[in-house]
Amino acid sequence: MKKHKLFALLITFCALINTQANVQSVQAATYHVVKQKNYSKIKPYHAKDPDKSVKIWNKKHTKTIGNLQNYPHTTWYASASVTMKHDSTKAIYYKVKSGNKRHSGYVWHGYLTKGKYAATSTPTTTSVLFNPLNPEYGIHTKNIDNTLNNLVVSLFPNTIHDKQTQLAADLFDHYVIGTEDCIKLESYAKLNNQSDFKNFIYNQLKKELTKYNKTFTDFNGYKIGAYVDPKNKQTIVLLKSPESTPTKLPTVFYDPKNYAGVTSSEYIDTKRNDELISLFPGTIKNDQVQLADNLYQSYFDVSADYPERYDDICKDILGKNYKKKVVFVRSMLGWKDSTYTEGKSDEEIYEAAKKEIAKDLKRQHKNFDDFKGYKIGAYFCPSTEENNYGVTQIILVPPTVKLPKIGKCTFTIDDVPLD
């Protein structure tokens, strides 16, 4: 009897092994490699959508060994493209390894995009230096050669290379530092074929200094900035007395994908904006939504196609399909009509704007308390010199809407490079 039981168990055990072998055989047969192209030089890729769940497979496509979602900032290096066949369908996978060499596997090519992760469109530095006093004007960093600039600065011993003075020089605008107690030296002579730029510019600036009865050593403690045009070597030097008070500069806000969308903190009243936000209970103030509101100023630039411009800004900051779900509540009191603002105090205009906001909500069949969990930003134009003084806008984004990544969107003096 024991022999029969032992024999039965042996039969069952063999059957299980055979079943497992058959399952593995079926799984292995599900996908098989029909072509592999090895790269002579590895190619960098990163996740096309870092938030998307994407499986990393073993070569047989039988086991998941990772997920791209867990490595959103990783650069993957492809050493081969592999064509796998599943039934009658073929698909191309990349054989990849992470930059730190800790993770590897096979990923369908459509989930990856060329280039290192650092090349994505979320910059941490600005490529444009804005004029805070007139933010629609600026200079692209590709037109700045700090090696040349610093060479000129070095001609003036014991001066202080100052970011604000350097920005004024980069922009050819000494109003950025104030004209009081400021010396401006300029050279528009052509370098021609002379290779010794330092000697050339030294002689040019020496001539300029004689107009002020000065020499290079007369500026102890002065703040200095210098700009040399990389193409034609035309040069400007600004020297600001240590006794002078620097001009206070506002912060610049901009659309990092469209530099035409730009404004400054001079046109933003944070206190009023926060008061407007408090009218909508349960909402969450969001910096990115607030940026779209701050740039509402661009809508009223009469020198441009302002509605189209602001539409592009909203697509960049709120998403391409923002019109489908994002709620805009507005008061246009004062726009091109001073009847509503003339002779009235700021408080009276603000109160009138709040009433218009309530009317606009009613027109949209909404109430102030309908937006719990929504991301919010608000803008009230505080400048009496603008033709949209008192115009107000609130942007409300549903919690289910995912905002696009936009990167750095403010510019201050701290962003001016000296090296």
Side-chain angles (χ1 to χ4, degrees), residues 24 34 90 112 144 160 164 174 182 186 189 198 204 238 260 280 292 297 306 308 314 324 330 342 348 371 373 390 407:
Q24 290 177 356
V34 295
K90 292 181 181 179
L112 295 170
I144 296 174
I160 300 167
Q164 187 164 341
H174 59 299
C182 177
E186 296 174 290
K198 185 173 183 178
Q204 292 297 318
L238 295 176
F280 296 80
Q297 182 74 27
Y306 40 88
E308 292 80 4
C314 288
K324 293 182 179 179
R330 290 170 174 155
E342 209 168 84
E348 288 175 320
F371 302 97

Short mmCIF file of all heavy atoms in Angstrom, two decimals, residues 24 34 90 112 144 160 164 174 182 186 189 198 204 238 260 280 292 297 306 308 314 324 330 342 348 371 373 390 407:
data_model
loop_
_atom_site.label_atom_id
_atom_site.label_comp_id
_atom_site.label_asym_id
_atom_site.label_seq_id
_atom_site.Cartn_x
_atom_site.Cartn_y
_atom_site.Cartn_z
N GLN A 24 6.80 27.64 -18.66
CA GLN A 24 7.97 28.45 -18.99
C GLN A 24 8.23 28.43 -20.48
O GLN A 24 8.60 29.43 -21.09
CB GLN A 24 9.20 27.93 -18.23
CG GLN A 24 9.12 28.21 -16.73
CD GLN A 24 10.30 27.62 -15.99
OE1 GLN A 24 11.14 26.95 -16.59
NE2 GLN A 24 10.35 27.86 -14.69
N VAL A 34 13.99 38.30 -33.03
CA VAL A 34 14.17 37.96 -34.45
C VAL A 34 15.31 38.77 -35.08
O VAL A 34 15.81 38.42 -36.15
CB VAL A 34 12.87 38.19 -35.24
CG1 VAL A 34 11.79 37.25 -34.77
CG2 VAL A 34 12.41 39.64 -35.12
N LYS A 90 5.46 42.43 -34.48
CA LYS A 90 6.86 42.73 -34.15
C LYS A 90 6.95 44.07 -33.43
O LYS A 90 6.19 44.99 -33.74
CB LYS A 90 7.71 42.77 -35.41
CG LYS A 90 7.88 41.41 -36.10
CD LYS A 90 8.77 41.53 -37.33
CE LYS A 90 8.93 40.18 -38.03
NZ LYS A 90 9.78 40.31 -39.24
N LEU A 112 10.70 55.82 -24.71
CA LEU A 112 11.94 56.57 -24.48
C LEU A 112 12.10 57.66 -25.52
O LEU A 112 11.61 57.55 -26.65
CB LEU A 112 13.15 55.63 -24.54
CG LEU A 112 13.23 54.56 -23.44
CD1 LEU A 112 14.32 53.55 -23.77
CD2 LEU A 112 13.48 55.19 -22.08
N ILE A 144 26.74 86.73 -24.68
CA ILE A 144 27.59 87.20 -23.60
C ILE A 144 28.81 86.31 -23.47
O ILE A 144 28.69 85.07 -23.42
CB ILE A 144 26.82 87.22 -22.26
CG1 ILE A 144 25.66 88.22 -22.33
CG2 ILE A 144 27.75 87.58 -21.10
CD1 ILE A 144 24.76 88.20 -21.11
N ILE A 160 34.86 96.35 -7.40
CA ILE A 160 33.99 95.24 -7.00
C ILE A 160 33.12 94.84 -8.19
O ILE A 160 32.31 95.64 -8.68
CB ILE A 160 33.10 95.66 -5.81
CG1 ILE A 160 33.97 96.07 -4.62
CG2 ILE A 160 32.15 94.52 -5.43
CD1 ILE A 160 33.19 96.78 -3.53
N GLN A 164 24.52 93.70 -10.31
CA GLN A 164 23.60 94.70 -10.84
C GLN A 164 24.31 95.60 -11.86
O GLN A 164 23.75 95.93 -12.91
CB GLN A 164 23.00 95.54 -9.71
CG GLN A 164 21.89 96.49 -10.18
CD GLN A 164 21.05 97.03 -9.04
OE1 GLN A 164 21.05 96.46 -7.95
NE2 GLN A 164 20.35 98.12 -9.27
N HIS A 174 22.50 102.03 -18.35
CA HIS A 174 23.00 102.41 -17.02
C HIS A 174 21.87 102.85 -16.08
O HIS A 174 22.10 103.05 -14.89
CB HIS A 174 24.07 103.50 -17.12
CG HIS A 174 23.63 104.76 -17.78
ND1 HIS A 174 23.20 104.81 -19.08
CD2 HIS A 174 23.56 106.04 -17.32
CE1 HIS A 174 22.88 106.05 -19.40
NE2 HIS A 174 23.09 106.82 -18.34
N CYS A 182 27.76 107.80 -11.68
CA CYS A 182 28.08 106.67 -12.56
C CYS A 182 28.96 107.16 -13.71
O CYS A 182 28.66 108.17 -14.35
CB CYS A 182 26.80 106.04 -13.09
SG CYS A 182 27.08 104.69 -14.25
N GLU A 186 33.01 103.90 -23.14
CA GLU A 186 32.60 103.14 -24.32
C GLU A 186 33.71 103.12 -25.36
O GLU A 186 34.44 104.10 -25.53
CB GLU A 186 31.34 103.75 -24.93
CG GLU A 186 30.12 103.70 -24.01
CD GLU A 186 28.92 104.43 -24.59
OE1 GLU A 186 28.98 105.67 -24.65
OE2 GLU A 186 27.96 103.76 -24.97
N ALA A 189 35.66 101.31 -31.40
CA ALA A 189 36.72 101.10 -32.40
C ALA A 189 36.77 99.64 -32.80
O ALA A 189 36.48 98.74 -32.00
CB ALA A 189 38.07 101.55 -31.83
N LYS A 198 43.43 92.48 -25.15
CA LYS A 198 43.65 93.15 -23.87
C LYS A 198 44.42 94.46 -24.06
O LYS A 198 44.06 95.50 -23.51
CB LYS A 198 44.40 92.24 -22.91
CG LYS A 198 44.55 92.83 -21.51
CD LYS A 198 45.14 91.83 -20.54
CE LYS A 198 45.21 92.41 -19.13
NZ LYS A 198 45.75 91.45 -18.14
N GLN A 204 42.21 101.84 -25.72
CA GLN A 204 40.94 102.50 -26.03
C GLN A 204 40.31 103.11 -24.77
O GLN A 204 39.86 104.26 -24.78
CB GLN A 204 39.96 101.50 -26.67
CG GLN A 204 40.36 101.01 -28.05
CD GLN A 204 40.40 102.14 -29.06
OE1 GLN A 204 39.54 103.01 -29.08
NE2 GLN A 204 41.43 102.15 -29.89
N LEU A 238 30.90 100.25 -16.95
CA LEU A 238 30.17 101.09 -16.02
C LEU A 238 30.83 101.02 -14.65
O LEU A 238 31.14 99.92 -14.16
CB LEU A 238 28.71 100.64 -15.92
CG LEU A 238 27.87 100.78 -17.19
CD1 LEU A 238 26.48 100.19 -16.98
CD2 LEU A 238 27.77 102.22 -17.63
N ALA A 260 8.00 86.26 -24.77
CA ALA A 260 7.11 87.41 -25.01
C ALA A 260 6.14 87.59 -23.85
O ALA A 260 5.62 88.67 -23.63
CB ALA A 260 6.33 87.22 -26.32
N PHE A 280 -12.48 82.14 -2.23
CA PHE A 280 -12.82 80.81 -2.73
C PHE A 280 -12.37 79.77 -1.69
O PHE A 280 -11.23 79.30 -1.73
CB PHE A 280 -12.14 80.56 -4.07
CG PHE A 280 -12.61 81.48 -5.17
CD1 PHE A 280 -12.12 82.78 -5.27
CD2 PHE A 280 -13.56 81.06 -6.09
CE1 PHE A 280 -12.55 83.64 -6.27
CE2 PHE A 280 -14.00 81.91 -7.09
CZ PHE A 280 -13.50 83.20 -7.18
N ALA A 292 0.51 82.17 -14.42
CA ALA A 292 -0.39 82.43 -15.54
C ALA A 292 -1.22 83.67 -15.28
O ALA A 292 -1.49 84.46 -16.20
CB ALA A 292 -1.29 81.22 -15.79
N GLN A 297 -1.12 90.43 -17.55
CA GLN A 297 -0.72 91.77 -17.99
C GLN A 297 -0.40 91.76 -19.48
O GLN A 297 -0.63 92.74 -20.19
CB GLN A 297 0.51 92.22 -17.18
CG GLN A 297 1.01 93.61 -17.48
CD GLN A 297 0.11 94.69 -16.93
OE1 GLN A 297 -0.59 94.48 -15.95
NE2 GLN A 297 0.11 95.85 -17.56
N TYR A 306 -2.59 90.68 -28.43
CA TYR A 306 -2.63 90.23 -27.04
C TYR A 306 -3.51 89.02 -26.76
O TYR A 306 -3.10 88.16 -25.97
CB TYR A 306 -3.00 91.40 -26.11
CG TYR A 306 -4.07 92.33 -26.61
CD1 TYR A 306 -5.42 92.07 -26.38
CD2 TYR A 306 -3.73 93.48 -27.30
CE1 TYR A 306 -6.39 92.93 -26.85
CE2 TYR A 306 -4.71 94.34 -27.77
CZ TYR A 306 -6.04 94.08 -27.54
OH TYR A 306 -6.99 94.92 -27.99
N GLU A 308 -4.11 86.37 -28.63
CA GLU A 308 -3.39 85.21 -29.11
C GLU A 308 -2.15 84.96 -28.27
O GLU A 308 -1.80 83.82 -27.96
CB GLU A 308 -2.98 85.40 -30.59
CG GLU A 308 -4.15 85.39 -31.55
CD GLU A 308 -4.89 86.73 -31.61
OE1 GLU A 308 -4.44 87.69 -30.96
OE2 GLU A 308 -5.93 86.79 -32.30
N CYS A 314 -1.00 80.58 -21.75
CA CYS A 314 -1.81 79.63 -20.98
C CYS A 314 -1.57 78.19 -21.43
O CYS A 314 -1.56 77.27 -20.59
CB CYS A 314 -3.29 79.98 -21.09
SG CYS A 314 -3.76 81.46 -20.17
N LYS A 324 -10.67 73.41 -21.88
CA LYS A 324 -11.71 72.41 -21.65
C LYS A 324 -12.11 72.30 -20.18
O LYS A 324 -13.26 72.00 -19.86
CB LYS A 324 -11.25 71.05 -22.17
CG LYS A 324 -11.11 70.98 -23.69
CD LYS A 324 -10.70 69.59 -24.13
CE LYS A 324 -10.58 69.51 -25.65
NZ LYS A 324 -10.15 68.15 -26.09
N ARG A 330 -13.55 86.71 -14.33
CA ARG A 330 -12.93 88.00 -14.64
C ARG A 330 -13.83 89.19 -14.34
O ARG A 330 -15.06 89.09 -14.37
CB ARG A 330 -12.53 88.04 -16.11
CG ARG A 330 -11.37 87.13 -16.47
CD ARG A 330 -11.18 87.03 -17.96
NE ARG A 330 -9.98 86.26 -18.31
CZ ARG A 330 -9.80 85.60 -19.44
NH1 ARG A 330 -10.74 85.63 -20.36
NH2 ARG A 330 -8.69 84.95 -19.66
N GLU A 342 -11.65 106.60 -12.65
CA GLU A 342 -11.29 108.01 -12.45
C GLU A 342 -11.91 108.56 -11.17
O GLU A 342 -13.11 108.44 -10.92
CB GLU A 342 -11.77 108.84 -13.65
CG GLU A 342 -10.90 110.06 -13.91
CD GLU A 342 -11.22 110.68 -15.25
OE1 GLU A 342 -12.17 111.46 -15.32
OE2 GLU A 342 -10.52 110.35 -16.23
N GLU A 348 -12.05 101.39 -3.48
CA GLU A 348 -13.34 101.43 -4.18
C GLU A 348 -13.28 100.60 -5.46
O GLU A 348 -14.23 99.87 -5.79
CB GLU A 348 -13.71 102.88 -4.50
CG GLU A 348 -14.13 103.70 -3.29
CD GLU A 348 -14.36 105.17 -3.64
OE1 GLU A 348 -13.57 105.72 -4.44
OE2 GLU A 348 -15.31 105.76 -3.12
N PHE A 371 -15.36 75.21 -5.52
CA PHE A 371 -14.04 74.88 -6.06
C PHE A 371 -13.09 74.29 -5.02
O PHE A 371 -11.88 74.48 -5.11
CB PHE A 371 -13.41 76.15 -6.66
CG PHE A 371 -14.24 76.79 -7.74
CD1 PHE A 371 -15.09 77.85 -7.44
CD2 PHE A 371 -14.22 76.30 -9.04
CE1 PHE A 371 -15.86 78.44 -8.44
CE2 PHE A 371 -14.99 76.87 -10.03
CZ PHE A 371 -15.82 77.94 -9.73
N GLY A 373 -10.52 72.10 -3.33
CA GLY A 373 -9.46 71.25 -3.89
C GLY A 373 -8.86 71.77 -5.18
O GLY A 373 -7.86 71.23 -5.67
N GLY A 390 -7.25 97.98 -12.37
CA GLY A 390 -8.44 97.43 -11.75
C GLY A 390 -8.96 96.17 -12.38
O GLY A 390 -9.82 95.48 -11.80
N GLY A 407 9.69 74.56 -15.43
CA GLY A 407 11.02 75.00 -15.02
C GLY A 407 11.05 76.41 -14.48
O GLY A 407 10.04 76.96 -14.05
#
